[in-house]
Each structure stands twice: as C-alpha cells, then as structure tokens.
Amino acid sequence: METTTTTASFKRHSLAPQGVVVEEQEEQEDEEEEEEEEQTADAEVAVMKHNNNDDEEEEEELSVAEREQRRLLGLKVRKDFMCMERVDGRLLNVVEGLELHMGVFSAAEQTRLVNMVYDFQTKGRQQQLQERTYSEPRKWMRGKGRITIQFGCCYNYATDKYGNPPGILHEEAVDPLPQLLRNTIKRLVRWHVLPTTCVPDSCIINIYDEGDCIPPHIDHHDFVRPFCTLSLLSECCILFGGNLKIIGPGSFDGPVSVPLPVGSVLVLKGNGADVAKHAVPALPTRRISITFRKMDPLKVPPGFVEDKELQGVCPAVLPSPRPGKENC
C-alpha cells in the first residue's frame, strides 16, 4: 500500500511575529499528519473488509464434508479424570471412563435446542403432549420439583404413588424423539462422542431453575453404558465420588468437581458411571440439560419400535490434528 505525502508552501506575513508563524506552520503540519493517518486507516479497513469477504466466499464454497472437517478440527476432549478411592478393598480410579467433549455444538445449534425445549414446555403446560412426557411438580422444598420432559420411554425416578418401582415403565407412553433431537443423536455418534454400538433411543430433558439440584445417585441400569449429558444455558459443576456427602438441601460434597461449560457434552461410562455417584448442587441460575441414553434391550417397553433414521449412522473420518494443536 502506497501513501503520498503532500508538501505545503507557507507564506510568512511580514508583520506577524515569528512565534505566531511557527505555531501556524506546526498546526498545519499536524492537520496534514491527521489527514494522512485517516487515509491510511481507511485503506486498512478496506483491506480487512476485502479479506473478510474472501473468507465468507471461501466458507460458502466449502462442501458439507469440508465444513464438517473444519468443525472436527476444533473439537476438544478431556479424558484425564482421576480420583483414587478404596472400593471393596481395592484402590480404584472411580472416575475412570468420564469424557468431556467441547465444541460439538455451535452457539446457533444450542439456541435451536433451547428454543425447542421451551416450545415443548409450552406444549406440556397446554396438555398437548402425552401425559408422562411432561412433568412439572410442585416445588415442596429447596432443590425439589425440577421440570422434566421425556422422549422415547417413560422413566420412573422413584417408587410412585401406584407402587411402580424406579426404572423404565412398560405401561406408560411418552412422545417419540423429535426430529431435532434425532439430529443431535446423529451428531453425537458421527463425531465420535458416542459409539455406534450405543446409539441413544431415549432422552430426558431437565429444566433447572435457581436452587434446583440433583442428589447423589448412579443412573439406573435399565439404560446401558455409555450415556451422555449436554449442558445448555449456563455452566455448572457436577460432583463425583464413591461416597458423596449430603450437607443440606441442595448442598453436597465430594472429592471431584467437574465444571460443565455451556454446550459441552459429558460422557459417563466405566467406573465414572457405575462406581462413582454423581450429583448437581443447587444451581445459582437457570440451566437445561439433555441426557441421551439407550435402553437395555431386555427393558424396552412392548411395542417400542426402533427409529430407522438412527440406525447405521457412520462415524466421520477424523482429520489429522494441526501441528501444535492437540486435544486437551
């Protein structure tokens, strides 16, 4: 980029004092320098706009496969969780098998999922869903009474008023997985978050308001491992440990606290799913979680039909990491 400097002629007035003439000359030189800087800045802005337009055109020219490869390069996975505890006389890493995946869903994709959740919340309140799909119990104490939306199967958290034990209920129907959640499952399998041998066929959505929590527990074995949870709206911490302590309503203590960034996916398998309990302490703000699980074939309700769209999802070919850029 070339810049042109203009040299100006100054005419000294015979009656003006020398100091005044010098000041006038300095002021004019300052004005010329400011004009040069403005011209240079305008030229730099024009170059930046041109480069940005080139990037946008390049993005538009990329094929679907190329865009996917670019996204895959940005994924981060953490698998180095460690917590040694003695279990039945043996020293075990009780969080072995935990994985935290980041970058799987863009901000726009997360927004679509949140909007979908709120749409189903509205439908649930208007009784437009099957009875057991939507649940909004009365909050009878701190941390109790979060909203849940179930798809694929009806899961009973605890023995209900009809005497049904915890687990998958065979006589209760819920709505099938909506298309956006089926697309989400395909992304999880295609991008190697979940294996092709464990494609989810059900999910449960939790809408947490301020103060809501989940007490220490291990997920029911009516669902096979691994399973995963997608975090939306706000970050929170999830506790893990062989013996989590209940301090008070919504207050728990444990040896491992895992921050769950917005948009992250936590995968639970191995000791992290079956030896360590996990809990979510009372939240300071609203959060949405979507947990995807596959039913044990022996626990599938009669009449359940597998979704053909979710069968045969092929994992994407992972690109080679860029030099100096590795998964954390």
Side-chain angles (χ1 to χ4, degrees), residues 135-141 143-147 207 209 212:
S135 175
E136 187 172 353
R138 179 179 58 85
K139 294 184 182 297
W140 66 93
M141 65 177 294
K144 299 292 186 180
R146 68 183 182 279
I147 297 169
I207 303 176
D209 284 322
D212 285 346

Side-chain angles (χ1 to χ4, degrees), residues 11-22 24:
K11 183 177 180 180
R12 179 176 296 181
H13 197 287
S14 58
L15 298 178
Q18 184 176 358
V20 173
V21 174
V22 172
E24 290 177 352

Side-chain angles (χ1 to χ4, degrees), residues 83-88 92-95 216-218 239-245 253-256 271-272 274-279:
C83 178
M84 303 304 295
E85 292 187 12
R86 194 165 295 280
V87 179
D88 296 332
L92 295 178
N93 176 14
V94 296
V95 290
H217 70 285
I218 291 176
L239 302 178
F240 285 90
N243 291 290
L244 297 181
K245 297 178 181 178
D253 185 41
V256 178
N271 293 343
D274 296 328
V275 176
K277 293 181 179 180
H278 58 274

Side-chain angles (χ1 to χ4, degrees), residues 128-171:
Q128 296 176 6
L129 304 174
Q130 297 203 51
E131 184 178 356
R132 296 300 291 264
T133 297
Y134 182 80
S135 175
E136 187 172 353
R138 179 179 58 85
K139 294 184 182 297
W140 66 93
M141 65 177 294
R142 176 179 170 84
K144 299 292 186 180
R146 68 183 182 279
I147 297 169
T148 61
I149 307 173
Q150 303 192 60
F151 296 106
C153 72
C154 181
Y155 174 70
N156 210 24
Y157 282 97
T159 301
D160 60 23
K161 60 183 180 181
Y162 305 109
N164 295 312
I168 297 173
L169 299 180
H170 287 189
E171 305 303 323

Side-chain angles (χ1 to χ4, degrees), residues 94-293:
V94 296
V95 290
E96 171 274 326
L98 293 185
E99 297 179 3
L100 186 62
H101 295 251
M102 292 160 284
V104 181
F105 299 100
S106 68
E109 290 166 338
Q110 294 174 45
T111 297
R112 284 195 290 272
L113 285 165
V114 169
N115 290 339
M116 178 211 69
V117 171
Y118 287 148
D119 285 344
F120 276 105
Q121 182 180 20
T122 299
K123 291 178 181 179
R125 286 174 169 172
Q126 295 175 350
Q127 298 182 340
Q128 296 176 6
L129 304 174
Q130 297 203 51
E131 184 178 356
R132 296 300 291 264
T133 297
Y134 182 80
S135 175
E136 187 172 353
R138 179 179 58 85
K139 294 184 182 297
W140 66 93
M141 65 177 294
R142 176 179 170 84
K144 299 292 186 180
R146 68 183 182 279
I147 297 169
T148 61
I149 307 173
Q150 303 192 60
F151 296 106
C153 72
C154 181
Y155 174 70
N156 210 24
Y157 282 97
T159 301
D160 60 23
K161 60 183 180 181
Y162 305 109
N164 295 312
I168 297 173
L169 299 180
H170 287 189
E171 305 303 323
E172 299 287 350
V174 297
D175 287 82
L177 288 162
Q179 184 62 53
L180 185 55
L181 291 183
R182 294 203 297 272
N183 293 344
T184 303
I185 290 170
K186 288 188 287 186
R187 168 72 61 81
L188 293 170
V189 176
R190 182 162 176 78
W191 286 17
H192 300 262
V193 178
L194 293 173
T196 56
T197 55
C198 197
V199 179
D201 51 18
S202 64
C203 87
I204 184 164
I205 298 170
N206 287 292
I207 303 176
Y208 300 82
D209 284 322
E210 180 182 348
D212 285 346
C213 68
I214 290 185
H217 70 285
I218 291 176
D219 277 48
H220 204 284
H221 280 83
D222 278 3
F223 301 98
V224 298
R225 277 54 170 157
F227 57 93
C228 70
T229 295
L230 167 61
S231 294
L232 299 170
L233 280 187
S234 64
E235 179 174 319
C236 82
C237 287
I238 183 170
L239 302 178
F240 285 90
N243 291 290
L244 297 181
K245 297 178 181 178
I246 300 177
I247 308 301
S251 180
F252 317 116
D253 185 41
V256 178
S257 179
V258 179
L260 302 178
V262 178
S264 65
V265 181
L266 180 68
V267 176
L268 292 88
K269 59 183 177 179
N271 293 343
D274 296 328
V275 176
K277 293 181 179 180
H278 58 274
V280 176
L283 297 171
T285 186
R286 171 166 282 208
R287 172 180 181 256
I288 291 174
S289 70
I290 307 179
T291 298
F292 296 94
R293 301 185 287 198

